[in-house]
């Protein structure tokens, strides 16, 4: 026999096992043989005791019981079988002429009977009929059990759903709703049966929600989805937001469950729907929207919202021939208080100032926090400058009283610049800028006052003040960018290092170069913040390239005199490197000779600390400063950078290159690295190679480029293509 044949045999269902019990051994053997000949599995029991033992030992599909057995009669065996095997079918076998015993057997649960003497075909037909009847009963019981389990599972799934599940009748009344309504809204499901669904909706959404659900144009293929607010039970609970999806039910195809209550609800149901709680999402959206248009510290409108309202006010003023005023407010002495008492106290002061300023406003005025300690105020629909003047005086007066901050009594004033539409500007930007210019004029003449913008105010001064303000905001708005210029090995054309150079992506003037804003940054003492920002961005970017396989790549950064002269310069620099996990051996700081000679002793001490930590020191623009070279022996100098003005004098064998010759020769003698800046031509590069210059940088290898261009260049690690 093959394995396939064995599988087919094993997979066939076993024939039912039948118990035959009789007190006559001859008749018992005959019955058993007859049934076996027709494929049944048969167990024989001689007498009632043996029948009970067999029923106790294993299950049977059917039992043929002689009603008159000598030890225990068939009726008693039937009683035992009803307890031991209630699913076993019984056929009563009787040799009596009357039907009394058979009738009793049928009343006690026998499915059929056979009279002795019996016809074999009649017996087999009876057995087949009873087995078929049992199979039908079993199938019905199994189906009923599966149906009950399915309904129980469906009920469990519906009641365990994270959404409210409901059914409505033709008039919009609730005929079913799951248990989720209790945990979300506080209503017990039975309390809502028969109530209109609209009673659950917020008054403002009731009509819209009911009409949308009962709309005849909605179908199961195109359900209606809408967002509504639903009432919570109890006045203390806020209404919640739900996303409802509903569609009509076809009563001809809708299944009807077996439970009476569920069946009634299913018969009445004409609409089915779910309600998903989206309260958290709506609150998050509202918070995000608030964040987008408000300052979180003061809860005031921010710059974006202020500009939107100002733009609308300008349109209305132009249409109605009215005037409006824009005020630019800057707090006096705020920086002193913030630095003295700390940022937490500074934040509390800004909140207190906001409360006082708001108390002076009219309905319809817009006060916004523009940034830092600067505020802007929109006064729509004024009659003239006198109205704005009165508001300004009121603002100045309200801030003149002292503030109590954590046991401290502090004073803070305000300087106010005012621009009136249309005389001081007809556009949004003009009004804000001119109010800002007027405010700086107040600052220049003593603070604590107000001033209207006029054309007589210096345009140059205004531009400078505007640039200073923009630079402060640039640090807050992350407008500074870092470009990199490769430092290339003169022999192999391999990129050895990158000099980080700052650029300012001004929102209105485009990309600004260092010469256009660094002098102002030095003058306003913003250079430290600018340098720290550049170093942070460069460490992060170059650090990634170092981690990606360019272990020896050097980062060169320029440091301003103000930054180097700070007492905590070394600690701040090392903390930044630690914060960004940048290896000190890959950093080279560039300082000028003038910085060194301004305080040689102090600078020497700081540079030695950095050199001991592994940081390399380079002298930038070498040869353009002090002529004394004594400091080179006293300082841990690693690199000299030849100024580009000397490199530009190289003209093949022109004598103008003598300074370059001398600097390179001196660097070789002192065993220092030499970097030539401003290399633009192949002739300059060949000349520097002949002199033994170690590294070069300049437009010959490309202008300073953003990180994405440098990433492609580093991927080649060969002589790069000249960048545009």
């Amino acid at each position: 026999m093959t394995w396939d044949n064995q599988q087919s045999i094993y997979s066939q269902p076993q024939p039912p096992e039948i118990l035959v019990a009789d007190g006559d051994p001859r008749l018992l053997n005959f019955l058993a043989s007859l049934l076996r000949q027709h494929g049944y599995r048969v167990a024989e029991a001689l007498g009632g005791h043996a029948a009970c033992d067999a029923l106790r030992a294993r299950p049977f599909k059917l039992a043929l019981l002689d009603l008159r057995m000598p030890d225990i009669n068939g009726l008693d065996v039937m009683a035992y079988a009803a307890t031991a095997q209630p699913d076993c079918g019984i056929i009563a076998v009787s040799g009596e002429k009357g039907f009394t015993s058979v009738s009793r057997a049928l009343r006690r649960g026998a499915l059929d009977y056979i009279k002795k003497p019996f016809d074999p075909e009649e017996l087999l037909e009876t057995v087949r009929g009873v087995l078929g009847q049992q199979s039908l009963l079993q199938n019905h019981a199994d189906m009923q059990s599966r149906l009950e389990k399915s309904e129980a599972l469906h009920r469990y799934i519906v009641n365990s759903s994270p959404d409210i599940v409901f059914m409505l009748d033709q008039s919009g009344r609730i005929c079913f709703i799951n248990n989720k309504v209790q945990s979300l809204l506080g209503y017990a499901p039975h309390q809502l049966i028969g109530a209109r669904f609209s009673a659950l909706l917020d008054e403002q959404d009731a009509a819209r929600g009911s009409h949308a659900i009962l709309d005849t144009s909605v179908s199961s293929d195109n359900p209606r989805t809408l967002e509504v607010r639903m009432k919570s039970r109890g006045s203390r609970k806020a209404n919640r937001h739900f996303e409802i999806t509903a569609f009509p039910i076809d009563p001809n195809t809708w299944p009807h469950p077996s439970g009476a209550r569920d069946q009634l609800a299913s018969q009445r149901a004409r609409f089915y729907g779910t309600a998903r709680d989206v309260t958290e999402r709506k609150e998050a959206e509202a918070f995000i929207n608030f964040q987008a248009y408000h300052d979180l510290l003061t809860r005031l409108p921010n710059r974006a919202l202020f500009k939107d309202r100002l733009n609308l006010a300008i349109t209305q003023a132009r249409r109605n021939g009215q005037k409006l005023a824009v005020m630019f407010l800057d707090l006096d002495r705020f920086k002193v208080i913030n630095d003295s008492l700390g940022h937490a106290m500074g934040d509390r002061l800004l909140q207190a100032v906001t409360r006082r300023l708001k108390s002076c406003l009219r309905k319809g005025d817009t006060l916004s926090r523009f940034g830092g300690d600067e505020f802007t105020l929109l006064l729509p629909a004024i009659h003239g400058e006198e109205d704005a003047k009165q508001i300004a005086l009121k603002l100045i007066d309200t801030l003149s009283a002292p503030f109590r901050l954590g046991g401290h009594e502090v004073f803070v004033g305000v300087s106010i610049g005012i621009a009136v539409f249309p005389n001081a500007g007809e556009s949004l930007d003009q009004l804000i800028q001119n109010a800002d210019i007027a405010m700086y004029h107040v600052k220049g003449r003593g603070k604590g006052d107000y001033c209207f913008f006029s054309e007589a105010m210096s345009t140059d001064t205004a531009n400078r003040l505007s640039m200073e303000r923009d630079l402060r905001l640039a640090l807050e708005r992350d407008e500074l960018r870092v470009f990199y210029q490769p430092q290339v090995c003169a022999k192999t054309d391999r990129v050895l290092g990158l000099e980080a150079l700052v650029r300012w992506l001004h929102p209105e003037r485009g990309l600004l170069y260092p010469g256009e804003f660094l002098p102002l940054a030095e003058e306003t003492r913003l250079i430290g913040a600018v340098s720290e920002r550049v170093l942070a961005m460069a460490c992060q970017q170059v650090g990634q390239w170092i981690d990606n396989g360019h272990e020896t790549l050097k980062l060169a950064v320029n440091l301003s005199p103000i930054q180097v002269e700070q007492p905590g310069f070394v600690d701040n620099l090392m903390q930044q490197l630690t914060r960004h996990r940048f290896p000190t051996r890959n950093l080279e700081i560039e300082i000028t000779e003038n910085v060194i000679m301004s305080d040689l002793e102090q600078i020497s001490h700081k540079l030695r600390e950095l050199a001991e930590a592994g940081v390399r020191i380079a002298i930038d623009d070498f040869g353009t400063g002090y002529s004394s070279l004594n400091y080179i022996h006293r300082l841990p100098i690693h690199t000299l950078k030849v100024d580009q003005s000397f490199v530009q004098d190289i003209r093949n064998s022109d004598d103008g290159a003598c300074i370059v010759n001398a600097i390179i020769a001196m660097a070789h003698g002192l065993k220092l690295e030499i970097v030539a800046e401003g290399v633009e031509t192949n002739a300059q590069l060949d000349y520097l190679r002949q002199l033994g210059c170690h590294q070069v940088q300049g437009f010959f290898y490309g202008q300073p480029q953003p990180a994405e261009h440098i990433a492609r260049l580093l991927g080649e690690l060969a002589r790069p293509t000249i960048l545009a």
Side-chain angles (χ1 to χ4, degrees), residues 520-542:
L520 178 62
E522 296 256 38
E523 182 181 346
T524 57
R525 294 282 174 170
L526 292 174
I527 189 64
V530 171
S531 297
E532 287 185 7
R533 184 68 55 85
V534 170
L535 180 60
M537 290 188 288
C539 285
Q540 184 176 5
Q541 181 61 69
V542 178

Side-chain angles (χ1 to χ4, degrees), residues 594-612:
N594 295 343
V595 174
I596 296 173
M597 299 310 296
S598 63
D599 190 348
L600 183 58
E601 183 176 350
Q602 289 295 327
I603 298 300
S604 300
H605 177 71
K606 294 177 180 179
L607 296 184
R608 287 194 188 93
E609 285 187 67
L610 292 175
E612 290 172 1

